[in-house]
Structures are given as C-alpha cells and as structure tokens.
Amino acid sequence: MRLKGISRPSELLVADASPHYPEVDRRSKLSVQEFNREYRKPGKPVVILDAIEEWPARSTWTFEYFKTRYGGDQVLAHRYKGTKYRHSDARQMSFREYLEGVASQDWKSFPYYIRDNWALLVAHPELSADYAFPKYFFDWFTLLPPFMRLPYPRIFIGPKGAITPLHVDIWGTHAWLSQLVGRKRWILFPPEQKDLLYDFQVDPSQPDFERFPLARHATPVECTIGPGETVWVPSNWSHWVVSLDAAISLSSNYMGPGCLLSPFTNSAKDLVLKRLWSSLRGKRRPKA
C-alpha cells in the first residue's frame, strides 16, 4: 500500500518555520521484492509504516521503562554547541538524571543527546530480545569476522528539538532508523547534490542562500516518522534530523547491495589495519 504526500498537523510545530519539501513515499505491507525493486535498486528513501510491528520494544521501551530498570547506569550525553557535537563537551550523568531532563525540558534548556549509543545495548544484552533487524535490511557485515564490524544497532534518546546536523553516514553505508517514542522530521539530499551543501554547513530547515547560494539548486525530500515507523536512508544520502518530541529511536548502518566497496574497504582500513598496527606496537613495546 502506497501513501504519498501525507502531512500531519503536528508537523507544523517545526515545518511552519522552515521550507516544505516533497514527501518521501510512505508504504505499508511492502514486500521485500517491492522494496528491492522500487527503493533499494534505484537508491530511493522510503518510510515503512509496519516494519517493526512484532518488536516488543514497540510498546515496552518508554522513558519510564529505562528509568526504572537502568536509571542507575552512567551514560555519556553529547552536548550540541554551535553547529556540532564535540566529545569534549559531552557530560557523564546518571541515566535517571538524563531521562528526567529529557522529560521536563527541551533542547534550549537541556541541549544533551544520547546519540549513536551502542554501550547501553552491550551492557544490557537482554534488550536484544526486544527487537530484530527488519526483514528488508540484511547486513553483509554479519558475514565478516567481528573485528571487521562496528557495533550496531544504536539507540538515540533525546529531548524535543534535539538535532542531528547535516551529514552522510559512515563509510557510505545504508541506514535504517525505527521510531519508538515521539516523532522526528528528516530532510534528505541525493548523493549527486553533496557539492551544493558546502561541506554540510547548510541548515536545510533554515537555509541561508546568501551565504550558500548553490544550496538554492538542491532538491531535498522530507518525511516525519512517528512511533512504529521506519525510515530507510540509501547509501550517501545526506540527511538532517530534528526531534519534534522527546524521542527514542533505534538505528543501524549496514553493508548491502548498492554499498559494498566503500564499506568493505573502509572497514579493512579503519578496523583491520589499526588492529594489526596495535598488535605490532604491543609486540615491540619493551618489557618492564
């Protein structure tokens, strides 16, 4: 089932103050064959409305759930400063303190984001029973030795207004993100328009065409996803994301058809060669 051009009144919380762009297709009851033919092969984003209906996390992963079960954990919350996140600005705090900040404040008063976090899922492997990779996204990295993979999936938890600046995902991988709590607005640019984005300095929600005149020629698309919905981002699509509500999401980058060479060679370079170099340095280190 295909749903196009769906706009929701709630989207106007952000969209009224920024440009509107053509909508990404919204599909339900999408077969794997249809996904491959209509989206994966042409490299076209899509929102899949029912990809995670069987996940227990769909109903159990709430702010209260995490606070009750894991509130005593220490977490690293990244602070948004200027136009980017810097590791030096991150803050260690209890998970309970963080979740209370998310629930009671917004991005202006609490500019902290648990983003790209795999540590929580590794520390609590029981959480893996609550989700499974959607059937559309088989990850070829799983066929490689563990030392050639980055840890996925990863969780995002943040307040209303939390921003992920414009970027392209690591190693040219595909990506999917499933929304569990709250809503997120996405703005996406096709790979051939990367040179119009001035090294990702453009803010697509408020583009400054005087500073970045070439951005006027870009033709992005957008979508807003809510609980239970999954967005698929093809390899090398630039994207910018904002939380319209306090939100929880689960996401993964992966290697698959349409993105093999770049992920594989970068994995070999960044993980295998570094591992080999570290091993050689350890052998050369003199004994005390």
Side-chain angles (χ1 to χ4, degrees):
M1 182 181 298
R2 184 190 305 267
L3 301 171
K4 283 190 176 182
I6 303 298
S7 60
R8 308 169 184 173
S10 53
E11 289 179 30
L12 302 181
L13 290 171
V14 168
D16 263 357
S18 67
H20 293 268
Y21 302 110
E23 290 275 338
V24 172
D25 284 358
R26 300 172 61 81
R27 300 292 300 272
S28 64
K29 298 180 172 56
L30 184 69
S31 71
V32 173
Q33 292 75 19
E34 289 171 326
F35 169 77
N36 287 334
R37 181 178 66 250
E38 300 178 33
Y39 300 102
R40 196 265 297 164
K41 286 183 180 177
K44 179 182 176 184
V46 63
V47 174
I48 304 174
L49 305 180
D50 50 5
I52 63 168
E53 285 190 334
E54 297 180 2
W55 285 14
R58 175 76 178 79
S59 58
T60 59
W61 285 22
T62 64
F63 296 116
E64 190 60 34
Y65 172 85
F66 284 114
K67 187 166 69 171
T68 300
R69 296 191 62 166
Y70 308 118
D73 285 20
Q74 292 294 303
V75 295
L76 188 66
H78 297 270
R79 182 172 183 176
Y80 190 68
K81 202 170 182 180
T83 59
K84 60 181 67 176
Y85 296 93
R86 295 181 180 86
H87 188 75
S88 59
D89 295 322
R91 178 182 160 197
Q92 197 85 15
M93 64 181 82
S94 75
F95 202 8
R96 179 177 291 103
E97 178 187 359
Y98 179 77
L99 292 169
E100 288 172 350
V102 166
S104 62
Q105 301 180 68
D106 62 16
W107 196 233
K108 290 182 179 178
S109 57
F110 192 72
Y112 292 98
Y113 204 179
I114 291 180
R115 55 191 302 272
D116 263 330
N117 183 294
W118 50 266
L120 180 68
L121 302 176
V122 170
H124 300 288
E126 68 276 10
L127 290 170
S128 66
D130 294 340
Y131 61 85
F133 276 51
K135 62 183 179 181
Y136 309 98
F137 317 127
F138 180 74
D139 185 7
W140 288 354
F141 276 122
T142 61
L143 304 176
L144 300 180
F147 63 81
M148 291 188 70
R149 309 178 215 158
L150 293 172
Y152 286 104
R154 301 183 181 191
I155 195 167
F156 290 73
I157 304 176
K160 176 181 178 179
I163 289 173
T164 297
L166 190 63
H167 69 287
V168 166
D169 281 342
I170 186 170
W171 298 346
T173 48
H174 297 316
W176 57 266
L177 180 140
S178 294
Q179 198 64 22
L180 297 167
V181 175
R183 299 160 303 140
K184 286 183 173 177
R185 182 191 184 201
W186 290 67
I187 301 176
L188 308 99
F189 297 81
E192 65 271 16
Q193 296 182 8
K194 184 179 177 182
D195 290 343
L196 305 178
L197 303 179
Y198 293 85
D199 293 324
F200 306 122
Q201 296 181 72
V202 174
D203 177 355
S205 69
Q206 294 287 336
D208 184 342
F209 295 129
E210 290 189 4
R211 284 186 65 198
F212 308 117
L214 293 179
R216 197 182 296 273
H217 303 292
T219 55
V221 293
E222 72 166 282
C223 61
T224 294
I225 62 170
E229 299 176 353
T230 299
V231 61
W232 181 67
V233 181
S235 170
N236 291 317
W237 276 68
S238 306
H239 48 284
W240 174 97
V241 188
V242 63
S243 296
L244 303 182
D245 311 296
I248 301 174
S249 314
L250 191 70
S251 179
S252 183
N253 292 82
Y254 71 101
M255 177 172 63
C259 67
L260 171 62
L261 184 60
S262 177
F264 184 80
T265 55
N266 278 285
S267 169
K269 179 181 70 175
D270 291 356
L271 301 181
V272 178
L273 292 181
K274 285 182 180 178
R275 187 171 186 256
L276 179 61
W277 177 244
S278 178
S279 176
L280 290 174
R281 289 185 66 189
K283 289 180 180 179
R284 291 175 181 175
R285 193 171 294 130
K287 295 181 180 180

